[in-house]
Amino acid sequence: MGTPQPVVPALERLHALPDVELVAAVTPPDRERGRGRQPAPPPVKEASLRLGVPVLQPESLRSQRVRDQLTEFAPDVIVVAAYGKFLPPPVLELPPHGCLNLHPSLLPRYRGPSPVATAILESEDITGVSLMLLDQGMDTGPVIAQLQLALSGDETAGDLTDTLFALGADLLADSIGPWTRGELSATPQDDSLATVSRKLERTDGLADWTLPASTLARRCRAYTPWPGLYTHWQDRTIKLLEVTPLNEQSTPGQPGTVHSGPPDAPIVVSTGDGLLALRRLQLEGRRPVSAREFLAGYPDFIGSVLGDHQTI
């Protein structure tokens, strides 16, 4: 059971294991996407069809019809990875070896929907991936195995998600056989150490120029690819695709003031602490460009004050 592209490696690893029969994949229904609003399949569906694996796309797992379909497959174990839906008790209780979940954090830290972005926002040096046995809570079940990953400090949430689920695919492939043979045990989480991440909102990406430049740079990485870091200029939205804090620089003008910077950082913005270099930008309706290209088209950008009073 899964949805996005980052979890496809787990599907592929399971399919390739000689002692595993992948009997079905469960993924959400096709959704309209893009400017043409054409139905597009989830990446897990595309990968499953390529591998010849039957696909189910229920709106919910709560209907008796869907439960009957799952029962007909008689799964020994269900693997869940970024599926996006809670599993009701009858589904949790269906496979004799339980429902296993790949979660991209070192549980019990960062339970919930946004563990990767939260690890970046919190300036973690180490994160990882956990293989856990699902229960009725949100990422509260006992942990079967974990892998750690040291962070360099320049990862985006998108890149880090890909890396963690690739590690998770290896962890799953190494663990599923021993788990079903009774050679691994699950360790209850220490709830006293638990932290919970919240669901990201579109408005989280709005740049608050009173924050330090280093915080805004972390937000840019944590919110890539969504919701992104963005600001407003002349009633238009600008996506800030790549930024760098220049904390050693003084902070002239009010927060949000745009200045001309050095040759390697031609656009800098005053923040609550330090300057933030804008290296790649995208004005709404336009393609992404470098700071130098942006200034060539909009030289009056220098001297303006970016703000959040306009509507999105």
Side-chain angles (χ1 to χ4, degrees):
M1 296 182 176
T3 305
Q5 181 62 41
V7 305
V8 168
L11 173 78
E12 294 172 333
R13 287 299 303 275
L14 285 174
H15 185 265
L17 290 175
D19 55 348
V20 168
E21 179 188 1
L22 188 55
V23 295
V26 182
T27 194
D30 297 0
R31 304 295 188 197
E32 293 181 351
R33 292 188 179 89
R35 292 184 178 179
R37 308 307 297 167
Q38 294 299 311
V44 162
K45 176 183 178 179
E46 293 181 308
S48 299
L49 294 178
R50 171 171 49 82
L51 297 171
V53 176
V55 177
L56 301 181
Q57 293 183 273
E59 284 283 0
S60 168
L61 298 177
R62 297 189 180 279
S63 77
Q64 188 61 51
R65 181 182 61 83
V66 172
R67 294 176 192 171
D68 290 344
Q69 286 180 308
L70 295 176
T71 301
E72 289 176 5
F73 285 112
D76 295 304
V77 63
I78 292 175
V79 173
V80 182
Y83 178 47
K85 298 178 186 293
F86 276 105
L87 275 59
V91 177
L92 290 173
E93 297 163 5
L94 173 62
H97 295 289
C99 298
L100 309 186
N101 180 50
L102 281 176
H103 185 78
S105 81
L106 295 175
L107 292 170
R109 291 188 63 76
Y110 305 135
R111 297 170 176 172
S114 306
V116 178
T118 306
I120 293 174
L121 290 172
E122 296 296 326
S123 300
E124 293 285 4
D125 296 322
I126 296 174
T127 187
V129 62
S130 301
L131 180 65
M132 57 168 290
L133 183 64
L134 279 176
D135 59 16
Q136 295 185 48
M138 179 181 287
D139 305 318
T140 55
V143 173
I144 297 168
Q146 291 181 320
L147 284 176
Q148 291 189 354
L149 177 70
L151 299 181
S152 64
D154 58 5
E155 298 90 351
T156 67
D159 292 339
L160 184 54
T161 298
D162 289 343
T163 299
L164 289 174
F165 275 115
L167 286 176
D170 293 337
L171 185 65
L172 177 63
D174 291 341
S175 302
I176 193 166
W179 169 255
T180 56
R181 293 192 297 268
E183 299 167 6
L184 289 177
S185 59
T187 303
Q189 296 184 40
D190 185 346
D191 290 340
S192 69
L193 301 177
T195 57
V196 180
S197 65
R198 64 175 179 83
K199 183 179 180 180
L200 297 181
E201 306 288 346
R202 165 76 170 116
T203 52
D204 288 330
L206 182 60
D208 179 354
W209 297 108
T210 65
L211 295 173
S214 57
T215 299
L216 289 167
R218 281 200 306 277
R219 289 190 175 191
C220 183
R221 294 189 295 108
Y223 298 154
T224 299
W226 193 88
L229 185 69
Y230 62 90
T231 190
H232 298 296
W233 175 61
Q234 295 184 352
D235 295 322
R236 301 174 75 180
T237 299
I238 300 178
K239 295 180 181 179
L240 310 178
L241 303 177
E242 184 179 341
V243 302
T244 305
L246 304 176
N247 293 320
E248 72 281 1
Q249 303 291 329
S250 60
T251 311
Q254 72 181 82
T257 303
V258 182
H259 309 276
S260 179
D264 65 332
I267 300 177
V268 295
V269 182
S270 298
T271 73
D273 182 12
L275 295 172
L276 188 71
L278 310 186
R279 301 193 179 276
R280 289 183 66 243
L281 308 85
Q282 183 178 10
L283 188 63
E284 62 177 288
R286 303 289 184 176
R287 64 178 179 86
V289 295
S290 68
R292 193 171 304 281
E293 290 175 298
F294 190 89
L295 285 181
Y298 305 97
D300 57 334
F301 191 56
I302 300 298
S304 62
V305 178
L306 307 176
D308 61 0
H309 58 281
Q310 297 93 336
T311 58
I312 298 175

